């Protein structure tokens, strides 16, 4: 075999190897579950329920919102944490308490059980909805299971809702009246009494 032919074969081998390296160097952020041990969101068992009925009026007696006007929720569509049909926020109907949380947020860990207790007390009258914000699916599912969280949640990895409502950091809680109007955004941890007082003031729900 001539030296020229040997060089040509070596060039072909090197080009093929280079192509393989390039093909394997995609940005890890291209995968929605990059860094998530579960691999995909659907692969993680979740204690949270599905999101069916979030855009429907609450069952039971109709609760009229207090006088005053709110503003429309951002027209964002977010996936349900457990899969299934995504939810368009502009179609959300309350009364609802929408809480933005993440597993890495220490105040959220203390606040979530309070929200669960409120959801239990107001079942059938007020929707309590979580929005897992900027978090890994597996980590959020694990925290929800540890804390016994049983209200539905949406998933917002890009933190679009937090940005749209002007919240700085987490937790953030949105109060949405029966007409689907955003009445208040609270960008700090809530106590049990503060949560009840704000729901009464902005949603007309007394507990």
């Amino acid at each position: 075999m001539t030296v020229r032919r040997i060089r040509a074969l070596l060039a072909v081998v090197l080009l093929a190897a280079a192509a393989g390296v390039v093909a394997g160097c995609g940005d890890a952020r291209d995968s929605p579950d990059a860094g998530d041990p579960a691999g995909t969101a659907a692969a993680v068992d979740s204690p949270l329920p599905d999101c069916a009925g979030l855009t429907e009026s609450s069952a039971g007696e109709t609760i009229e919102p207090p006088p005053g006007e709110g503003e429309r929720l951002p027209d964002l569509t977010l996936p349900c944490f457990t899969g299934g049909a995504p939810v368009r926020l502009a179609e959300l109907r309350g009364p609802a308490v929408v809480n933005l949380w993440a597993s890495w947020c220490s105040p959220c860990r203390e606040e979530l059980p309070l929200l669960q207790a409120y959801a239990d007390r107001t079942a059938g009258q007020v929707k309590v909805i979580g929005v897992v914000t900027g978090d890994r699916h597996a980590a959020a599912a694990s925290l929800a299971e540890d804390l016994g969280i049983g209200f539905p949640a949406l998933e917002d990895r890009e933190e679009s809702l937090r940005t749209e409502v002007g919240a700085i950091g987490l937790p953030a809680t949105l109060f949405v009246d029966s007409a689907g109007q955003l009445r208040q955004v609270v960008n700090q941890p809530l106590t049990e009494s503060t949560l009840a007082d704000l729901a009464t003031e902005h949603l007309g729900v007394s507990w």
Side-chain angles (χ1 to χ4, degrees):
M1 182 178 292
T2 65
V3 173
R4 180 178 297 178
R5 188 168 182 181
I6 291 174
R7 288 177 176 173
L9 288 173
L10 286 173
V12 170
V13 171
L14 290 174
L15 285 172
V21 170
V22 170
C25 290
D27 191 338
R29 292 173 298 177
D30 291 342
S31 170
D33 283 272
D36 195 326
T40 64
V44 182
D45 291 332
S46 171
L48 303 178
D50 63 34
C51 303
L54 293 187
T55 57
E56 301 173 359
S57 297
S58 295
E61 181 182 356
T62 300
I63 299 174
E64 294 296 331
E69 296 183 359
E71 59 185 59
R72 290 179 60 85
L73 281 168
D75 195 4
L76 300 171
T77 299
L78 298 176
C80 182
F81 190 82
T82 56
V87 174
R88 183 183 178 192
L89 296 183
E91 297 177 352
L92 184 67
R93 294 294 176 266
V97 175
V98 182
N99 180 258
L100 282 61
W101 65 274
S103 64
W104 44 261
C105 164
S106 295
C108 299
R109 291 171 174 263
E110 299 179 8
E111 185 181 60
L112 282 168
L114 300 179
L115 288 160
Q116 181 60 58
Y118 184 76
D120 293 339
R121 289 199 305 272
T122 61
Q125 289 190 290
V126 179
K127 298 171 183 172
V128 177
I129 305 166
V131 180
V132 178
T133 303
D135 202 0
R136 292 168 53 242
H137 190 96
S142 178
L143 178 62
E145 184 173 13
D146 289 346
L147 296 179
I149 303 305
F151 50 82
L154 307 175
E155 193 160 20
D156 186 7
R157 294 195 175 205
E158 302 302 320
E159 305 188 43
S160 302
L161 180 57
R162 182 191 62 77
T163 301
E164 287 287 340
V165 300
I168 302 174
L170 299 178
T173 304
L174 284 53
F175 292 83
V176 181
D177 68 22
S178 56
Q181 298 289 302
L182 176 59
R183 301 294 293 264
Q184 181 71 25
V185 177
V186 179
N187 198 186
Q188 62 184 26
L190 298 173
T191 64
E192 184 177 4
S193 60
T194 302
L195 173 58
D197 290 345
L198 288 170
T200 299
E201 178 183 355
H202 299 293
L203 307 181
V205 181
S206 298
W207 282 92

